[in-house]
Amino acid sequence: MTKPRILTGDRPTGPLHIGHYVGSLRNRVALQHEYETYVLLADVQALTDNFEHPQKVRDNVLEVALDYLAVGLDPRVATFVIQSQVPEIAELTVFYLNLVTVSHLRQNPTVKTEIAQKGYGEAVPAGFFVYPVSQAADITAFGANLVPVGDDQLPMIEQTREIVRRFNYLYAPVLVEPQALVGETARLPGLDGRAKMSKSLGNAIFLSDSADEVARKVRGMYTDPNHLRVEDPGTVEGNPVFAYLDAFDPDRERVQALKEHYQRGGLGDVKVKRHLLEVLEATLAPIRARRAEFARNRGAVEAMVREGTGRGREVAAATMRAVRQAMHLDYFTQAPGLSPTPPATA
């Protein structure tokens, strides 16, 4: 029996951070041996709001691949695929655009939030506006049963499910309807106390940060602004230090004891941050070491991504053949030298 499939991935716009790790990466590593896993380096999606900086996207494809390897994704069981090198995804996107209304896209909570954050107003690029449809093409091109995501991406998965249901109803039941899998820690707040850790907001700890950089960031973290003296009672809710301890400290009893001590007073922020730094380093030090080891042979990493992309395109091409047949687009005639589905290339 074949294994069920996972499709997941990230936009290569910069290094991945610990919010990515607890929200999705940790799940991917845990599940990669149970599922046939495809990990998308989503450079096309990255260009929807970085179209003026294509070199930035190109440079970060390998950096994100290094982050994947560093956290423990194994290229022997997880296939890394560059999105732009699988043209079948773009073809699926075009077909799916007919199955979604503009008003429905406009109401997508994730899109609305990101448009507001970026200050686009009415000047939002069309590619950015419709990227939920492209994401649906990513997922369905690989026939994914499960998609590990952060909770902010749940509306995207629901959009995909709606597209799949509509396609299967109109044409033929050939597409797989995926399920979302949210990590145990759905979202980490930013170092500055904002609700979300983000590269663009500059409030993140990156997986590739040095030990000194992590220490500097932890020391500067936002805490309870009313906790002015050690003896003062402090607030745990909304305090990023304790949110990070919940996500990374495996000793639940110790975390609970720290919370209770902080709430009744007598526990200073410096001491809690010192403990958090020790906990974070227990996770990040081996990740940092593995990343450095893989980075010493970038040629081998490039070859691994190239091979994975070829395997991924074979899967997407098989999906396109089924989609074209369902839509009655599998013509028996074509222009000389062209074929309805280009052959897979390594």
Side-chain angles (χ1 to χ4, degrees):
M1 294 179 63
T2 59
K3 293 180 180 179
R5 285 181 185 163
I6 279 180
L7 186 282
T8 184
D10 298 277
R11 291 155 32 96
T13 56
L16 301 183
H17 53 65
I18 62 174
H20 293 118
Y21 181 75
V22 300
S24 179
L25 292 173
R26 193 158 54 184
N27 264 344
R28 300 179 199 178
V29 173
L31 296 172
Q32 63 181 330
H33 294 283
E34 299 176 38
Y35 290 80
E36 186 180 347
T37 301
Y38 292 87
V39 188
L40 202 64
L41 294 151
D43 56 337
V44 173
Q45 191 179 123
L47 287 169
T48 61
D49 57 345
N50 288 273
F51 53 88
E52 296 175 315
H53 307 288
Q55 190 63 44
K56 169 188 172 183
V57 175
R58 180 187 177 93
D59 291 344
N60 277 296
V61 165
L62 189 60
E63 295 304 314
V64 172
L66 286 170
D67 283 339
Y68 288 159
L69 294 167
V71 300
L73 283 172
D74 185 345
R76 292 170 297 183
V77 294
T79 302
F80 298 3
V81 181
I82 300 176
Q83 184 183 37
S84 64
Q85 304 306 296
V86 184
E88 291 80 5
I89 294 174
E91 188 175 1
L92 272 177
T93 301
V94 172
F95 292 157
Y96 291 171
L97 283 170
N98 295 317
L99 307 180
V100 182
T101 65
V102 171
S103 62
H104 194 46
L105 285 171
R106 189 177 288 120
Q107 294 306 312
N108 185 298
T110 305
V111 174
K112 288 171 65 176
T113 298
E114 293 184 1
I115 287 175
Q117 284 179 346
K118 296 177 186 298
Y120 281 138
E122 292 300 313
V124 56
F128 185 86
F129 185 68
V130 303
Y131 85 79
V133 182
S134 172
Q135 199 167 69
D138 297 336
I139 295 166
T140 56
F142 293 92
N145 306 94
L146 195 68
V147 185
V149 293
D151 67 342
D152 60 323
Q153 293 295 307
L154 288 175
M156 298 298 194
I157 306 305
E158 186 54 37
Q159 181 84 79
T160 299
R161 289 164 57 85
E162 291 172 3
I163 289 172
V164 167
R165 288 193 291 264
R166 185 158 174 76
F167 183 98
N168 287 346
Y169 172 78
L170 288 173
Y171 304 118
V174 298
L175 298 178
V176 177
E177 187 171 337
Q179 301 292 326
L181 175 65
V182 179
E184 183 179 346
T185 302
R187 181 184 300 185
L188 279 185
L191 295 166
D192 54 4
R194 281 190 271 193
K196 183 181 178 183
M197 181 176 288
S198 168
K199 289 177 285 191
S200 60
L201 295 175
N203 62 358
I205 294 173
F206 297 107
L207 297 173
S208 53
D209 279 345
S210 68
D212 288 344
E213 184 67 9
V214 174
R216 183 189 68 80
K217 290 180 176 181
V218 169
R219 286 195 297 268
M221 282 180 68
Y222 175 90
T223 57
D224 176 5
N226 297 315
H227 189 236
L228 302 177
R229 298 173 300 176
V230 172
E231 60 267 26
D232 292 337
T235 301
V236 169
E237 293 75 17
N239 190 326
V241 175
F242 287 99
Y244 291 14
L245 286 174
D246 283 335
F248 286 96
D249 192 338
D251 190 336
R252 314 315 304 159
E253 292 184 2
R254 178 171 56 187
V255 173
Q256 185 58 36
L258 287 171
K259 288 179 178 179
E260 291 172 0
H261 192 176
Y262 192 79
Q263 288 171 319
R264 67 176 179 264
L267 180 59
D269 290 323
V270 172
K271 187 171 182 179
V272 181
K273 288 180 178 180
R274 190 179 299 125
H275 174 64
L276 172 61
L277 183 57
E278 292 175 358
V279 169
L280 286 176
E281 276 301 295
T283 296
L284 294 177
I287 290 175
R288 193 182 297 124
R290 284 194 298 267
R291 195 181 198 283
E293 183 178 350
F294 282 112
R296 282 193 286 270
N297 193 350
R298 289 176 177 255
V301 177
E302 291 174 0
M304 176 269 295
V305 173
R306 185 165 55 248
E307 180 184 352
T309 299
R311 294 200 306 271
R313 189 172 179 197
E314 291 176 0
V315 174
T319 299
M320 275 311 309
R321 286 193 290 271
V323 165
R324 282 179 163 274
Q325 185 176 32
M327 296 181 70
H328 303 287
L329 297 176
D330 53 338
Y331 298 111
F332 57 90
T333 60
Q334 64 257 3
L338 297 180
S339 114
T341 304
T345 58

